[in-house]
Amino acid sequence: MRRITLALVSTVAVLVLLFSYRTSTSGIPNESDTAPPGIVGPAVPTEAPPTGSSGTASPSGAAQSGASPARPTDRVTVNGSVVDNGYGPVQVRLQITAGRITDVTTLALPEDGHSRRINSNAVPQLRQEVLSAQDVQVDTVSGATATTDAYLQSIQAALDAAHLGGGS
């Protein structure tokens, strides 16, 4: 009888510990913690919209009647998808102007100390390589394979949303 009681109490204790174990909190965050993927900034005008009802002033200062409205450039801001690299979320935002990546901003990275140390070196390298290559076909940063893979997946998702493709 004593063995049965000990086995039952041990089983209950193990189950309680198992169900109360908190897994990593650095997984994919709530939607409120990240930016929505896809295009977030529409094209911006190359010049200010016409002022007044009779036309706009030309660069020489003369008024132009019937001038066409400002033409938007193809400058756009695009968020990549949130990618879990096994240590937490990775998400990037691209600024694309005239079909070229002009800036890469990191929106989400894992927050634990080990990841912060790795990412402080890897992310600037990845940013520079993507800006130089204008693509996701860049070398993996040594010691940061998971971060590199997730970073490039997020960039590829942003390029896809902007209909620029890239290579993957």
Side-chain angles (χ1 to χ4, degrees):
M1 185 68 169
R2 191 178 241 185
R3 285 185 187 177
I4 293 174
T5 305
L6 182 60
L8 185 60
V9 169
S10 297
T11 302
V12 169
V14 167
L15 287 174
V16 167
L17 290 173
L18 181 65
F19 286 116
S20 65
Y21 178 74
R22 296 185 59 113
T23 58
S24 173
T25 59
S26 63
I28 297 296
N30 297 331
E31 284 185 26
S32 63
D33 295 341
T34 61
I39 296 176
V40 295
V44 294
T46 56
E47 57 190 41
T51 56
S53 58
S54 63
T56 61
S58 69
S60 64
Q64 296 176 341
S65 62
S68 62
R71 230 183 38 210
T73 65
D74 53 351
R75 187 169 114 190
V76 66
T77 302
V78 187
N79 290 344
S81 58
V82 179
V83 179
D84 186 358
N85 73 352
Y87 302 96
V90 176
Q91 184 181 28
V92 298
R93 172 178 285 164
L94 300 182
Q95 182 72 41
I96 300 170
T97 304
R100 293 189 49 83
I101 302 169
T102 55
D103 194 20
V104 181
T105 307
T106 306
L107 299 177
L109 286 172
E111 293 292 321
D112 64 282
H114 180 69
S115 293
R116 283 185 183 183
R117 282 188 300 278
I118 290 172
N119 294 337
S120 67
N121 179 46
V123 170
Q125 285 183 30
L126 288 167
R127 179 183 181 274
Q128 189 57 46
E129 287 194 33
V130 168
L131 289 172
S132 295
Q134 291 294 303
D135 200 303
V136 295
Q137 299 299 320
V138 298
D139 291 335
T140 298
V141 175
S142 180
T145 304
T147 296
T148 299
D149 291 346
Y151 190 89
L152 296 177
Q153 285 177 35
S154 187
I155 287 177
Q156 184 63 56
L159 291 171
D160 291 346
H163 303 294
L164 291 178
S168 96

